[in-house]
Amino acid sequence: MKYHIDTIPVWDAMKEDKECLFCEIESRMEEKYVEFYLGDSVMQPDVRQKTNKTGFCGHHYQMMHNATKKLPLGLSSYTRLEYLREHLDKYFDSIVSEDKSLKKSSAADMAEYINKITSTCAVCENVDENMKRYLYTFIHLWKSDSEFKQAFLNSKGMCLKHFAGMIEFSKKEMTDSVTLALAKDMAEVQKKSLARLSDDVKYFNDKFDHRNVEKPWGTSKDALPRAINKLSGRIIK
Ligand SMILES: [Zn+2]
Ligand SMILES: [Zn+2]
């Protein structure tokens, strides 16, 4: 077996009954890793070498900046900047230089390198690696635990990002027949889920009509954050 099975977080997230059980798992992991990179790890050379190289994506920088303690982010941002300067200066100097023999790289090379060096994130890498284990665990439970399978069939399903991610993962790791049967169950759940959510959002919008002011909100009061979760894979808090 390639992945360590960890059923408790998957069952816990299923019981939460949210728009995507994997977003729930992912969100908890993100918080854990953000805390890790803002904690004592900032002083560990191996961790700093990694974060100098990868940096963080905008979403995770934002989460770190929202934390009360600012110095850990200041320290890691400084050495990340130094790392980038060390690697980018040769491109800058080459572009700036009037000496044609020194112009080894073009502006396009520079843009490509900047895109490459800034498209990584230490938290995203940790989360993605762990997420594979949870996708694997989900399929294991779906195959072996009839109570779990039933809970999934009655659930709100997944966001579209994790829905597609799950199918791609299954295609890579499982037999065709497992992927086909899983995709069938997932499509059934997802079809119902999108129809229900769409009705909720429609009802939410209709509530802005003065004729509907007195009507109860029903299940539509939090329809927008749930729709954003389903559409984008982000949990709005
Ligand atoms: Zn999700
Ligand atoms: Zn990230």
Side-chain angles (χ1 to χ4, degrees):
M1 188 197 304
K2 258 167 84 179
Y3 301 100
H4 169 68
I5 287 180
D6 189 8
T7 60
I8 292 169
V10 179
W11 254 121
D12 283 353
M14 178 67 89
K15 285 174 190 161
E16 295 256 331
D17 194 30
K18 298 286 175 59
E19 292 297 337
C20 176
L21 79 158
F22 289 110
C23 281
E24 296 300 316
I25 294 173
E26 196 174 270
S27 156
R28 260 165 252 162
M29 270 197 289
E30 280 181 326
E31 278 164 23
K32 195 184 91 183
Y33 282 112
V34 161
E35 209 175 292
F36 170 78
Y37 287 113
L38 292 178
D40 296 342
S41 78
V42 152
M43 303 314 282
Q44 287 169 19
D46 57 327
V47 174
R48 278 290 273 289
Q49 264 165 23
K50 179 191 157 95
T51 57
N52 289 346
K53 205 171 164 203
T54 61
F56 301 98
C57 67
H59 170 62
H60 290 129
Y61 268 131
Q62 182 68 60
M63 281 179 77
M64 293 177 145
H65 191 253
N66 291 345
T68 326
K69 282 194 281 177
K70 303 292 182 204
L71 182 59
L73 180 58
L75 294 173
S76 84
S77 297
Y78 173 68
T79 48
R80 166 70 170 156
L81 275 167
E82 290 297 292
Y83 175 89
L84 290 176
R85 287 182 59 209
E86 188 190 323
H87 287 77
L88 291 173
D89 272 357
K90 62 175 185 288
Y91 285 92
F92 297 149
D93 293 345
S94 160
I95 301 288
V96 169
S97 171
E98 299 291 331
D99 182 345
K100 285 226 163 51
S101 68
L102 284 176
K103 280 193 187 288
K104 289 198 180 91
S105 50
S106 66
D109 289 339
M110 179 171 69
E112 194 188 326
Y113 184 70
I114 291 178
N115 279 334
K116 190 175 147 232
I117 206 169
T118 56
S119 64
T120 48
C121 167
V123 175
C124 282
E125 282 176 15
N126 292 133
V127 167
D128 288 349
E129 203 39 56
N130 277 281
M131 200 50 109
K132 289 193 186 105
R133 180 153 59 95
Y134 293 117
L135 294 173
Y136 188 87
T137 300
F138 175 92
I139 299 178
H140 165 79
L141 282 168
W142 170 82
K143 281 202 296 189
S144 61
D145 182 341
S146 59
E147 199 190 328
F148 183 85
K149 185 172 178 156
Q150 201 50 51
F152 174 63
L153 291 172
N154 295 329
S155 78
K156 294 191 172 77
M158 299 168 195
C159 71
L160 293 166
K161 178 186 93 172
H162 285 126
F163 182 91
M166 172 61 100
I167 302 282
E168 279 167 357
F169 177 81
S170 183
K171 262 194 90 176
K172 231 183 274 165
E173 304 285 338
M174 304 286 156
T175 62
D176 285 353
S177 66
V178 166
T179 301
L180 202 66
L182 176 67
K184 186 173 168 283
D185 274 4
M186 283 174 59
E188 195 183 311
V189 172
Q190 206 68 5
K191 188 178 153 74
K192 276 191 289 186
S193 174
L194 291 181
R196 168 193 49 78
L197 189 57
S198 190
D199 287 349
D200 278 353
V201 173
K202 169 87 169 51
Y203 191 94
F204 177 90
N205 295 342
D206 289 347
K207 272 286 285 167
F208 288 84
D209 186 321
H210 65 93
R211 286 165 299 185
N212 297 326
V213 167
E214 298 301 320
K215 278 191 182 170
W217 279 99
T219 55
S220 73
K221 195 150 196 173
D222 62 349
L224 280 189
R226 285 191 289 108
I228 291 168
N229 183 188
K230 190 70 94 187
L231 293 168
S232 75
R234 284 266 178 265
I235 296 177
I236 307 288
K237 286 188 176 150

